[in-house]
Amino acid sequence: QSALAAYPQIAQAAVIVREDRPGDKRLVAYAVPEAGAALNVAAVRAALVEGLPEYMVPAAIVVLDALPLTAHGKLDRRALPAPEYTVKYPAQSPRSPREEILCGLFAEVLGVPDVGVDDSFFDLGGHSLLATRLASRTRSALGVELAVRQIFSTPTVASLAKALDTAHEGREPVVRAATRPDRVPLSFAQRGLWFLHRLEGPSPTYNMPVSLRLTGVLDHDALRTALGAVVARHESLRTVFGEDAEGAYQRVLPVSEAVPVLDVVATDEAGLPAALEEAGRYGFDLTAELPLRARLFELGPEQHVLLVLVHHIVGDGWSMPLLARDLTTAYSAGATGAAPQWRELPLQYADFTLWQRETLGSEDDPDSSISRQLDYWKQALAGLPEELELPADRPRSDTATFEGGSLPFEIPAALHARLVELARECQASPFMVVQAALATLLSRLGAGTDIPLGTPIAGRTDDAVEDLVGFFINTLVLRTDLSGNPTFRELVARVRETDLAAYSHQDVPFERLVEVLNPERRAARHPLFQVRFVFNNIDQQAAADAVRSLPGLTVTPEPVDLGAAKFDLLFRFSEQRGTDGTPTGMRGALEFSTDLFDVVSAEGLVERLVRVLGVVVGDPGVRV
């Protein structure tokens, strides 16, 4: 109210909290302009955004001729009119080339048609993974280093543009290696999966399936040709692995030796789920065969299901829609006998591997990036619990089968909207609010007050690699401190600080972190954390969306359950947003180890988590 009254053309001001719909509380401002003044609401709002923290900026500003008063001359709050939310303020246009570039980057990363300088990155659906992508795009477009923390602190285009005035020059971009050595080592991310492959042998645990139902007339030859073109385009998909006296290395096969096989199998609807599961559980021999397999299940003349299976050592969740997109381009071209017209990739995964090692430096150099980040993690994870006490149905055995189940669930639009609103009030992201709720649930179920959760981070910190199929993703350990019985709002603040610090130290490969911290290892227990939390994951629907333009075909995702579980519990959340960024609900899934949990227990965990989310958005002041 003070900030509003201080605006030069405003004579009187009032700010109240309205609840015009039950449970929907909004901060609303009322302004009476000075005599003869024509108040520009957008300019007033811009001034408030500049001078106030995000959660104090009113949801609406209503211009009145006079404030209503009671008989005693006091503000009559009941007489203040409800704002008309259907009337939107015009987006403030960019006022400088930098703001113009940032508006474009915001829109591109968020997938929205237009962004004004006062629009908040997180109000439009942004989250930590997309913030990493925005930082990468900003580095390339403006040549400045942008920390993810800065995006949380200054989430609007206007505030971010101002903050960039003091930003440091961006680090060296990824460029194609002028000369590639004969022997290319593994990337840091690949090292861990290679170790597990050597330890366990061929296993379906790290298979990544994309299964798509294709309805219509399918050209088998064009599909085979398209698969070959995609494998030729992405070196990662024609890479095999070996080991010598210097350690593990990757070897890219020539295109002539890397011809993927498309097996065509006749089946029916009743036999399809079992056939998909059997095909998805294939064990790759990473030393001798392509890390990609394709199988086409023929259900009828115009009914097919395509399963593309990729080993995680050469791809991640962000890669699968890219693979699907390139497959679409190649198939569309092949169906007409033409070559695919796509933009040449600026580099390949092996080039990124060499750049990564050079950029992070040596651990023997105390001033290197990798040494500084390792120092942070040693301190941040000191004294971490060896194992979370989870409400399992059975004790942990000495060996794990890695068998698992999956339980889908939904978060309704109304609850999703309140979660987004609470995140805004706390200057956090919806990811952080849900993380705090999950930690609260686990703590109340007996896991204590020190809750480590594993979460993926995109790892694509340079836009030169954004079109590459490859294993870029890293895992962060986010430690949640519930000691002292904080309110939920206080817990979100703790989570926010922990997460932002982790994002600033995201380059240390998880596998290397395990080696350095050296926790007690057990074959049946994941090190450092046993519960994984994935938010806005790239799912099969994203891959299906990428191939909707296949000529003559209707494409829908086909469920495929490999029955595998890498962790005790894995909670997945995927936000759904309207074209204007409006929250429309979340899709969720709980993957659980059947070595430890029965289905009924998994159902109870989901029900309790949804209940916790409902309680904390209704009363963020509740103590955990």
Side-chain angles (χ1 to χ4, degrees):
Q1 184 169 303
S2 298
L4 193 64
Y7 192 80
Q9 295 177 312
I10 293 180
Q12 290 179 294
V15 180
I16 66 170
V17 175
R18 298 188 65 97
E19 191 172 0
D20 297 303
R21 293 182 299 174
D24 183 13
K25 296 182 180 181
R26 301 192 181 192
L27 199 63
V28 179
Y30 298 86
V32 178
E34 293 178 344
L39 207 57
N40 184 330
V41 173
V44 174
R45 183 173 178 82
L48 295 180
V49 169
E50 185 73 22
L52 293 173
E54 182 84 7
Y55 67 93
M56 286 191 184
V57 177
I61 302 172
V62 181
V63 179
L64 301 175
D65 293 331
L67 294 178
L69 302 176
T70 66
H72 300 287
K74 295 184 178 181
L75 178 67
D76 187 352
R77 292 172 175 266
R78 292 176 181 239
L80 289 169
E84 293 286 343
Y85 289 106
T86 54
V87 180
K88 295 185 178 181
Y89 305 120
Q92 175 67 46
S93 300
R95 296 155 294 192
S96 67
R98 174 175 284 175
E99 286 189 347
E100 185 175 5
I101 291 171
L102 285 173
C103 282
L105 295 177
F106 270 51
E108 182 182 358
V109 169
L110 293 167
V112 296
D114 191 31
V115 173
V117 299
D118 297 326
D119 289 329
S120 168
F121 183 77
F122 299 102
D123 285 353
L124 296 176
H127 49 82
S128 60
L129 294 178
L130 288 180
T132 299
R133 175 174 286 188
L134 178 62
S136 167
R137 294 286 175 86
T138 303
R139 182 187 303 116
S140 296
L142 298 175
V144 293
E145 194 68 31
L146 176 61
V148 173
R149 173 185 286 272
Q150 185 65 60
I151 299 172
F152 278 83
S153 300
T154 52
T156 66
V157 168
S159 59
L160 188 58
K162 187 175 181 180
L164 289 180
D165 289 338
T166 57
H168 299 295
E169 184 178 344
R171 69 186 181 190
E172 285 296 316
V174 185
V175 294
R176 175 181 284 278
T179 56
R180 189 183 295 178
D182 294 334
R183 184 187 180 282
V184 178
L186 305 191
S187 71
F188 289 120
Q190 289 176 327
R191 286 169 53 186
L193 288 190
W194 174 251
F195 171 80
L196 291 174
H197 180 76
R198 294 277 290 170
L199 181 68
E200 302 170 5
S203 163
T205 306
Y206 289 93
N207 285 354
M208 302 184 66
V210 169
S211 181
L212 304 172
R213 181 176 288 263
L214 310 175
T215 304
V217 179
L218 178 67
D219 186 333
H220 289 202
D221 291 336
L223 182 57
R224 286 191 178 90
T225 301
L227 283 166
V230 171
V231 169
R233 175 171 169 79
H234 295 278
E235 287 185 356
S236 57
L237 298 178
R238 48 189 172 93
T239 298
V240 295
F241 301 85
E243 200 164 333
D244 57 21
E246 297 180 52
Y249 61 89
Q250 50 185 308
R251 181 168 64 90
V252 178
L253 297 177
V255 173
S256 59
E257 297 179 22
V259 180
V261 176
L262 176 64
D263 295 322
V264 180
V265 179
T267 187
D268 55 23
E269 293 288 353
L272 180 63
L276 283 171
E277 180 179 350
E278 180 186 4
R281 292 181 65 83
Y282 178 79
F284 285 98
D285 180 359
L286 297 178
T287 65
E289 61 180 331
L290 296 185
L292 174 145
R293 288 176 62 85
R295 181 162 291 187
L296 186 66
F297 296 95
E298 196 168 42
L299 304 169
E302 296 189 6
Q303 280 289 345
H304 298 81
V305 172
L306 173 65
L307 175 71
V308 179
L309 196 67
V310 176
H311 195 283
H312 198 3
I313 200 168
V314 298
D316 54 22
W318 292 85
S319 299
M320 304 315 279
L322 299 176
L323 189 155
R325 181 202 63 192
D326 286 351
L327 187 63
T328 298
T329 301
Y331 178 87
S332 301
T336 61
Q341 299 297 311
W342 44 35
R343 185 175 66 88
E344 183 181 354
L345 295 172
L347 71 159
Q348 293 286 346
Y349 189 78
D351 303 314
F352 163 79
T353 300
L354 298 171
W355 170 87
Q356 180 189 53
R357 289 175 172 269
E358 181 180 349
T359 300
L360 292 182
S362 169
E363 293 177 26
D364 296 331
D365 177 7
D367 295 324
S368 69
S369 175
I370 190 74
S371 292
R372 292 194 303 270
Q373 294 193 40
L374 273 174
D375 288 342
Y376 162 80
W377 286 109
K378 289 175 186 176
Q379 181 176 352
L381 301 183
L384 196 71
E386 289 285 353
E387 181 175 326
L388 276 185
E389 292 294 330
L390 298 174
D393 295 302
R394 289 170 288 281
R396 192 184 305 276
S397 64
D398 293 333
T399 58
T401 66
F402 298 107
E403 299 290 329
S406 182
L407 186 69
F409 61 92
E410 299 279 342
I411 300 294
L415 178 54
H416 182 198
R418 294 201 299 273
L419 286 167
V420 171
E421 186 175 350
L422 177 57
R424 186 186 305 120
E425 292 173 5
C426 297
Q427 294 186 283
S429 68
F431 169 92
M432 295 171 181
V433 174
V434 177
Q435 177 191 334
L438 176 56
T440 298
L441 170 68
L442 296 177
S443 180
R444 293 300 302 271
L445 292 176
T449 59
D450 187 356
I451 309 292
L453 300 173
T455 194
I457 191 80
R460 296 174 185 256
T461 56
D462 191 294
D463 64 359
V465 303
E466 287 197 355
D467 285 337
L468 278 183
V469 172
F471 186 14
F472 296 93
I473 204 164
N474 194 16
T475 295
L476 301 182
V477 182
L478 303 179
R479 193 174 188 177
T480 308
D481 174 19
L482 292 95
S483 62
N485 194 22
T487 66
F488 187 76
R489 191 186 298 274
E490 291 168 344
L491 181 62
V492 172
R494 293 183 185 181
V495 166
R496 178 184 185 274
E497 290 306 306
T498 298
D499 290 5
L500 291 179
Y503 299 152
S504 298
H505 300 84
Q506 63 172 280
D507 295 322
V508 176
F510 175 77
E511 293 74 21
R512 181 56 184 148
L513 189 60
V514 173
E515 293 173 359
V516 171
L517 296 179
N518 194 27
E520 180 186 349
R521 303 299 294 271
R522 289 182 60 182
R525 181 183 69 201
H526 194 273
L528 301 184
F529 67 88
Q530 290 79 51
V531 179
R532 190 169 175 90
F533 174 43
V534 179
F535 202 80
N536 283 305
N537 56 297
I538 305 298
D539 57 13
Q540 293 224 115
Q541 183 63 54
D545 290 342
V547 296
R548 287 205 184 279
S549 59
L550 279 176
L553 294 167
T554 300
V555 183
T556 54
E558 182 71 23
V560 54
D561 183 8
L562 302 186
K566 309 179 189 71
F567 311 96
D568 293 359
L569 298 171
L570 191 159
F571 291 86
R572 296 184 184 273
F573 289 84
S574 180
E575 282 192 293
Q576 312 301 302
R577 296 271 186 161
T579 56
D580 59 352
T582 304
T584 58
M586 295 186 193
R587 290 200 302 262
L590 170 59
E591 296 176 14
F592 56 95
S593 167
T594 52
D595 290 347
L596 299 173
F597 295 95
D598 294 326
V599 173
V600 66
S601 299
E603 291 172 343
L605 288 171
V606 168
E607 292 169 1
R608 288 180 171 94
L609 179 58
V610 175
R611 191 181 309 154
V612 168
L613 289 169
V615 169
V616 298
V617 298
D619 180 14
V622 66
R623 295 199 174 272
V624 298

